[in-house]
Structures are given as structure tokens and as C-alpha cells.
Amino acid sequence: MANKNPLKICETVLRDGHQSLAATRMRTSDMIPALEQLDEIGYFSLEAWGGATFDSCLRFLNEDPWERLRTIKKYLKKTPLQMLLRGQNVLGYNHYADDVVTEFVKRAVDNGVGVMRIFDALNDVRNLEAAMRAAKQSGAHVQGAFVYTISPFHDVNSFVKVAKDLVDLGADSICIKDMAGLLAPYTTYELVKTLKGQISIPIHLHSHYTSGMASMSYLKAAEAGVDIVDCSLSPFALGTAQPATEAIVAAFEGHERDTGLKKEDMYPIADHFRGVKKQLAETFKLNTAIDIDTKVLSFQIPGGMMSNLLNQLKEMGMADKYPALIEEMPKVRADLGYPPLVTPTSQIVGSMAAFNVIMGRYKNVPREVKDLARGKYGRTPAPISKEVADLILKGEEIITHRPADDIPPQLEGLKQALAEKGYPNASMEDVLSYAVFPEVALKFFETNRK
């Protein structure tokens, strides 16, 4: 008899799996042979676009990300294609004007996106308004996401409040986005149970295996009634990626949350991606054997970021300062109002901590740190330390309104700028690529648009 309440799965092998384990280097040609088989599995959705894939296509793979989206969509007849969008940041690191956000979302849906997961690094829902409204008007399934983190200012009730605000903005489902793998199993149970008790739309859980707890958290989430979980096929699972799809399917076989999916159908697809992973490691000189790191539970620094910071210190001949940097990160995070550590706040906090250990505390303050402190990225979960604010802001204006209200329309100016650079007939998709990654896009156009 068919299970009445199967646990649904979003498959992340085409996006977060390789973003986490292979530096987002999977090419469209690596995906095509598996797309029709993936489409037959019965997933809730296939996450295949957004996040770092857009940048990586243009910067490293000489691929048009819009063409990738259209190509994948062509093969998916049954399964919605899902993307990850950073709210007012779109896929970049700064806020864009509402006209850019709206047009980007509209074009993404027109080119094939069916489910759009939208989040803001600070959980400031004002930064999600434009993107969620545009996605809703375009006919996509709008998934409002909040990023999970741990601090004295975050608890179950604070996350439920954000979730309710996302429902008010028209979300079709809510995602708990645990980007650093911080969710412990029993906390997960309490959070999901509370959300299910107060919110009527589906709850989706996204976690990373970084601390080694994600599979246990998925089990407790399922017991608490979570509707959907993110998994990645085994070659691109575990480490800093998601739990393995086949293992999660097997774990629920014959039980009341049985997924109804057949793990045996996944084996040949996993074999294909095992070959892809090996080839990517050789071609791009990647270390894809990434271990779990339980230190993330103390420092909350995503695994990839820790290795980047260490490499940067090594290049400067200061690798000996790495332990001090790891100690400094949580202090800077507290000073700056406990932002969750996800792009772009993780980079902002990380760079400030690096400057502090190299040059002395707050002796040299990057512009982005000042902008975060004065509210240009949105409202921080806690107030900025008064001592630090006085030291670094020196009377600069504090922004208390929605930051994007200060950004005049940009689209026409971008079209004009691109025309002046020799592309007067650029497609709207190319204009949007240029909007989000101007230098990288121009380099791509020089090779591919002449």
C-alpha cells in the first residue's frame, strides 16, 4: 500500500553536492548523460542552479550559466528544477536595485527554474521582499529560507518568527538552511515540531554533513514531520556536502516515512557521478576527499572558508597565525551583531578577523565591515558592539530602513554601459550576467560574444 506521508527529497548533486566537494567545477557536459535518469527517480526537485554555479560557469568553465539552465530544463520533463537565490544580493555579494532583482528572477523562471529558494544572510526579510514578489508573479514555487545559526540571540522562537514573516510574504514552503551543519538531532526535532505546529505550508530541511550530525538530524526531522530534505547522491555526499540520497532512502524503507523512491535506480547514476568526480579532481587538481570537522560546532566557520583562510595566511607567510584567527572569528562575529556565517557575511567576518590578527584589532577596517555595522546589508540579529561601532564608524549614518530603498534603478544604466563596451545588442540575460559579475562577464563575452 502506498505510504500516505512519504519523506520527499530534493537532489543536490547538480549544485550543492559539487559546490561543496569539487569547488563548483562540474560542467554541463558532465550532467547531461544523467539528466533523463535523474528525472525518472521521483524527486521533489533537482537543485541545479544558483549558489556559486553562476559565477563558476563564467569564471572557470567558460560556460553561459543561462545556457546551462535551458539545457538542463530541456531534459527534465517531470521534476522541477530548483535554484538558490541570495535575495537582494541575487547571486553576487552586494545588494542590487529592485529592477535588477525582479528581472533576474523573471528571467530565471522563464529559462526553466520551477522552485526558487530565497534567503538573506542576516535573516532580514526586508531583503527578500522584491525577489519573493517577483518569483510569485512569475509562477514559481517560492521557498522562503531562513539560515540556521547558534548564538545568544538565536533560538527556536526567533526562527519561527522569521518563518512566519516569510509566510506573510507569500512563501509556498519554508526551508531551514543549515549551511554549516550546526543542527543537532534533538534541536532539529524541536525546531521542526514547533514549525509544523504553527505553520501550515511544507517545511524543507537543508543541512551539511560538516559536523557529522546531518543524517541523525534528518531522522529526527522526519519523526517531527518535516516534509522535504536535501540529499546528494553518494559520490557528492558527506564531507561538507549533504547526507547521501541512497542512504536516506534506505533508512526509511518499510517505515511510515518511506520515500517511495528506489535506491537501486540511483546506483547507475551514482556510478556516473563517481567517474565525474574522479575526472574533476584530476582536471582541476582538486582535493575532493573532505573529512567531517567537528570544530565547526565551536567556531561555526564553514569548512571551505577555514581552508581558504589558511591558504591566504600561508601565501602571506603567516600560517602560524591560523590558531589566533580561528579564536578571533567568534569574537568579531559577536562584535558585529552575531550574523549567521554564510555568503557574504562569512567573508566579511573572516576578512575582519584576518586583519585583526595581522595588524591589530580594528586597526584596518574594510569598507564591507563598516557597511555591515551601519546596516547597509540589513538588520543584524543583535546590536553591533557600541565600542566597536564608535571605533569603526566614527559618526557614519546608520541605516534603519530597507537598504535597497537607497539604490536607484540600475537596469537601463547597465544596458547602456554594456552597449558602450561593444555589446549594443546584448540579450537581457547577458545584461544580468554583467550586472552580477561585471568583470567576469566581460571576459566571458570577449571570448564568446564577438
Side-chain angles (χ1 to χ4, degrees):
M1 198 172 76
N3 180 10
K4 286 192 178 70
N5 188 23
L7 180 67
K8 298 185 180 80
I9 290 179
C10 163
E11 175 57 63
T12 68
V13 72
L14 302 179
R15 206 284 296 177
D16 207 352
H18 71 97
Q19 181 172 318
S20 297
L21 298 183
T24 331
R25 293 299 194 274
M26 195 186 290
R27 301 154 294 199
T28 306
S29 58
D30 299 321
M31 302 174 184
I32 289 172
L35 291 177
E36 288 177 351
Q37 286 172 286
L38 285 167
D39 194 32
E40 292 294 328
I41 295 292
Y43 293 118
F44 166 77
S45 59
L46 265 167
E47 193 199 37
W49 211 60
T53 61
F54 198 96
D55 183 11
S56 189
C57 278
L58 292 168
R59 192 185 299 266
F60 302 115
L61 304 177
N62 194 39
E63 286 191 27
D64 183 343
W66 298 97
E67 189 56 42
R68 170 179 290 191
L69 176 55
R70 289 189 289 270
T71 300
I72 296 171
K73 180 58 185 168
K74 197 170 68 185
Y75 287 92
L76 300 184
K77 309 295 184 197
K78 303 174 180 178
T79 315
L81 191 158
Q82 182 170 317
M83 83 163 289
L84 178 68
L85 188 88
R86 298 178 190 139
Q88 207 72 30
N89 288 14
V90 186
L91 295 172
Y93 306 103
N94 303 300
H95 282 189
Y96 296 91
D98 286 347
D99 63 341
V100 171
V101 175
T102 300
E103 192 62 33
F104 193 99
V105 169
K106 184 172 170 292
R107 294 286 164 160
V109 176
D110 285 351
N111 280 277
V113 170
V115 178
M116 192 169 287
R117 178 180 295 167
I118 307 172
F119 78 99
D120 174 66
L122 295 175
N123 287 332
D124 185 342
V125 295
R126 298 173 305 172
N127 294 333
L128 304 181
E129 289 170 10
M132 287 181 68
R133 185 167 55 243
K136 199 84 179 162
Q137 288 169 352
S138 301
H141 174 110
V142 183
Q143 187 168 92
F146 63 81
V147 288
Y148 178 80
T149 189
I150 298 169
S151 87
F153 290 85
H154 292 89
D155 59 20
V156 167
N157 291 332
S158 70
F159 292 125
V160 171
K161 184 188 179 309
V162 179
K164 286 180 171 177
D165 289 343
L166 294 170
V167 172
D168 290 343
L169 282 178
D172 297 303
S173 60
I174 296 293
C175 175
I176 305 164
K177 181 173 164 57
D178 176 26
M179 65 283 168
L182 299 174
L183 263 173
Y186 291 100
T187 307
T188 306
Y189 183 89
E190 183 192 0
L191 178 57
V192 172
K193 196 80 176 164
T194 308
L195 285 167
K196 290 296 291 181
Q198 299 190 38
I199 285 168
S200 58
I201 60 176
I203 306 297
H204 192 143
L205 175 59
H206 164 92
S207 188
H208 288 250
Y209 213 81
T210 315
S211 68
M213 294 197 294
S215 292
M216 293 183 280
S217 295
Y218 278 20
L219 188 63
K220 294 306 290 182
E223 288 175 5
V226 83
D227 298 278
I228 315 152
V229 291
D230 278 5
C231 302
S232 184
L233 285 168
S234 52
F236 286 96
L238 310 184
T240 49
Q242 281 72 54
T245 315
E246 307 96 308
I248 294 296
V249 168
F252 290 99
E253 281 176 348
H255 295 271
E256 61 183 75
R257 299 301 309 276
D258 192 319
T259 64
L261 307 183
K262 293 189 169 61
K263 62 185 184 299
E264 293 78 12
D265 293 345
M266 299 172 184
Y267 295 160
I269 313 174
D271 288 341
H272 164 74
F273 284 114
R274 202 164 284 113
V276 167
K277 184 180 179 184
K278 188 170 184 290
Q279 191 187 46
L280 293 182
E282 291 166 359
T283 304
F284 296 105
K285 308 286 186 286
L286 300 170
N287 170 29
T288 57
I290 299 173
D291 296 329
I292 64 166
D293 187 353
T294 52
K295 289 198 293 294
V296 74
L297 297 171
S298 298
F299 300 116
Q300 297 198 34
I301 306 168
M305 190 183 166
M306 291 175 83
S307 54
N308 283 344
L309 289 167
L310 178 57
N311 287 337
Q312 286 164 16
L313 287 174
K314 277 179 180 169
E315 284 167 14
M316 296 162 73
M318 295 184 171
D320 59 310
K321 292 196 179 289
Y322 184 64
L325 174 60
I326 296 301
E327 298 266 324
E328 181 65 11
M329 282 279 293
K331 294 175 188 170
V332 170
R333 182 172 176 247
D335 289 343
L336 297 178
Y338 289 101
L341 295 180
V342 64
T343 303
T345 48
S346 52
Q347 289 84 345
I348 293 169
V349 171
S351 63
M352 189 67 257
F355 278 117
N356 282 358
V357 299
I358 293 165
M359 299 174 183
R361 296 202 90 219
Y362 301 107
K363 293 278 189 274
N364 191 323
V365 182
R367 178 75 254 167
E368 291 81 1
V369 175
K370 293 179 182 177
D371 285 344
L372 177 65
R374 71 188 189 90
K376 193 174 177 183
Y377 289 92
R379 199 185 288 120
T380 53
I384 307 294
S385 150
K386 186 175 185 321
E387 183 190 351
V388 170
D390 290 345
L391 184 65
I392 70 177
L393 293 181
K394 298 181 173 61
E396 282 191 45
E397 181 206 354
I398 303 298
I399 297 168
T400 56
H401 50 267
R402 188 182 77 112
D405 288 342
D406 290 338
I407 310 173
Q410 295 171 317
L411 216 45
E412 288 307 316
L414 289 160
K415 286 183 203 169
Q416 185 64 35
L418 208 46
E420 287 167 8
K421 293 189 188 308
Y423 304 99
N425 302 313
S427 67
M428 181 52 75
E429 283 79 2
D430 278 355
V431 173
L432 291 164
S433 296
Y434 174 67
V436 187
F437 297 106
E439 289 167 25
V440 179
L442 281 177
K443 204 169 172 189
F444 175 80
F445 297 156
E446 281 167 25
T447 310
N448 298 280
R449 295 287 186 266
K450 290 294 185 194

